[in-house]
Amino acid sequence: MSALAEAVNPADIEDTVTSADGTYAVAFVTDVGQLKDKSFNEGTWNGAKQYAAENGLTYKYYQPANGDQATDDDRYDAMKAAAEAGAKAIVCAGFMQGTALEKAAKEFTDVKFIFIDGWPLGLDNVIGVAFQEEQCGYLAGYAAVMDGYEKLGFSGGGGGTNPACMRYGYGFIQGANDAAAKLGKNVEIKFTWAYGASFSPSAELQTLISGWYETGTEVVFSCGGSIFSSITAAASANDGAVIGVDVDQSYESKTVITSALKGITEGTYQMLVKAFDGTWEGGAVTLGAAQNAVGLPVDTWSLEGFSVEDYEALKAAIIAGEVSIDAEAAENDPNAKGPWSNVTVDYVQ
């Protein structure tokens, strides 16, 4: 946290402020879905407004026009509006921002752009921030199987083209497989990108997941922002369990047994520090277990068959390189085919 002011809880910070001169130093351009999605958008926004509030800066969020159907032009227009409103740093969330962000960064060269879930664009005023989602996906899958679950599900956002969600899913399978091998059992995973492309809740997705629970699935990894509400609704109706994503979602539903965390709030905050303290360097940053940027939430631990101590030991082994978790294959194959020694994966289209 900044040394300039006492840390502030993001939940206590207003989402909207009024600037006396109409300028806003810190801007956030949302991904698809709602700002307050209790997941990716909200977690990123929390980092942006927390940094601004702690350092006496004005801030504003911008949602591209046309919602889930937003185009590259809509995203560019939001970035342009932010730059013209005086933004010194613009945080852009989600891989779909890439084309618009490159155009805006080349035009507004005095503005620093932070590309969350992004990649380097070869521009000095852009930092691409990526996370090792395969690591926290692995931890979530491993924990679920160690806790006794043998019939798992994965529902991903982005339609199988979102690298972050793909890494989550691929890591989840690997973790479940390794835990099953350790226990000498076989587990089943239903795996789908159906109805998650827009990251929005839908009746169709809720019906699909309800069918999973009704036919024996015990826990589903909800990996796609606002689709969480469809999946938890299905879980609640069927006494099922859910694994959350990005942030600790146990506060949002009693069905959540754990969440695969990545430090989007902390990562956003840290990049804003660089944007304003003179240490900025364009390029790429990758954050994982070694940077304490991915993991499971121990403060709300409710698992009984897998202890916090066991979790910490496994995480330490990942950091030490003693546990191998493949991420590359997931980005080449959204269905993450094995073969797996102790997992049977049913790909549901």
Side-chain angles (χ1 to χ4, degrees):
M1 297 300 163
S2 168
L4 297 180
E6 184 178 350
V8 179
N9 183 343
D12 297 331
I13 303 171
E14 294 291 335
D15 291 315
T16 303
V17 299
T18 300
S19 168
D21 62 2
T23 64
Y24 297 88
V26 175
F28 172 52
V29 177
T30 70
D31 194 9
V32 293
Q34 305 168 5
L35 174 72
K36 309 293 280 189
D37 62 0
K38 308 299 183 184
S39 186
F40 183 62
N41 272 332
E42 186 168 351
T44 308
W45 177 228
N46 281 345
K49 67 178 182 177
Q50 182 176 12
Y51 178 83
E54 289 181 5
N55 291 278
L57 300 173
T58 53
Y59 56 92
K60 184 175 181 178
Y61 69 88
Y62 298 77
Q63 293 184 285
N66 296 311
D68 294 339
Q69 304 303 313
T71 65
D72 290 334
D73 287 341
D74 294 327
R75 297 182 183 95
Y76 165 78
D77 288 343
M79 297 174 202
K80 182 174 185 287
E84 291 180 343
K88 303 299 182 184
I90 300 177
V91 179
C92 301
F95 75 109
M96 288 187 286
Q97 306 271 17
T99 299
L101 195 158
E102 183 172 7
K103 178 180 178 182
K106 288 178 176 177
E107 180 176 351
F108 300 101
T109 56
D110 291 336
V111 177
K112 295 178 173 63
F113 289 82
I114 298 166
F115 189 8
I116 302 295
D117 270 5
W119 53 90
L121 295 173
L123 302 171
D124 291 340
N125 61 330
V126 178
I127 288 180
V129 184
F131 297 85
Q132 292 178 284
E133 292 91 355
E134 71 278 4
Q135 293 180 341
C136 50
Y138 179 99
L139 289 164
Y142 193 99
V145 172
M146 293 300 291
D147 205 46
Y149 295 95
E150 298 184 7
K151 295 183 182 297
L152 288 66
F154 171 86
S155 180
T161 60
N162 179 350
C165 286
M166 290 160 69
R167 290 192 292 268
Y168 269 128
Y170 199 65
F172 184 66
I173 295 173
Q174 292 177 79
N177 184 77
D178 287 358
K182 181 178 178 67
L183 295 173
K185 61 171 62 174
N186 293 293
V187 302
E188 301 174 8
I189 300 179
K190 291 186 180 296
F191 192 99
T192 192
W193 302 101
Y195 310 118
S198 70
F199 298 92
S200 298
S202 70
E204 294 82 3
L205 178 60
Q206 184 173 333
T207 298
L208 174 69
I209 303 302
S210 287
W212 286 9
Y213 286 122
E214 289 167 3
T215 54
T217 297
E218 300 163 316
V219 59
V220 175
F221 184 8
S222 171
C223 187
S226 295
I227 69 173
F228 176 78
S229 62
S230 294
I231 293 170
T232 53
S236 295
N238 293 280
D239 294 322
V242 174
I243 295 170
V245 75
D246 290 342
V247 298
D248 184 358
Q249 295 189 304
S250 63
Y251 300 101
E252 308 306 321
S253 172
K254 293 180 179 178
T255 65
V256 174
I257 60 168
T258 191
S259 300
L261 305 180
K262 66 179 182 182
I264 45 179
T265 298
E266 296 80 2
T268 299
Y269 189 106
Q270 290 169 17
M271 296 309 109
L272 283 167
V273 170
K274 293 179 180 294
F276 285 93
D277 75 354
T279 60
W280 177 274
E281 291 183 6
V285 173
T286 300
L287 304 174
Q291 293 77 35
N292 200 31
V294 300
L296 304 180
V298 296
D299 290 342
T300 55
W301 198 268
S302 62
L303 305 179
E304 297 179 356
F306 188 55
S307 69
V308 172
E309 292 74 19
D310 289 339
Y311 157 71
E312 295 290 0
L314 179 59
K315 185 176 177 182
I318 292 172
I319 294 171
E322 297 167 3
V323 175
S324 177
I325 307 172
D326 185 7
E328 296 296 326
E331 297 183 12
N332 296 321
D333 179 5
N335 283 333
K337 293 179 175 61
W340 311 102
S341 63
N342 292 71
V343 166
T344 300
V345 183
D346 176 15
Y347 297 100
V348 181
Q349 305 300 322

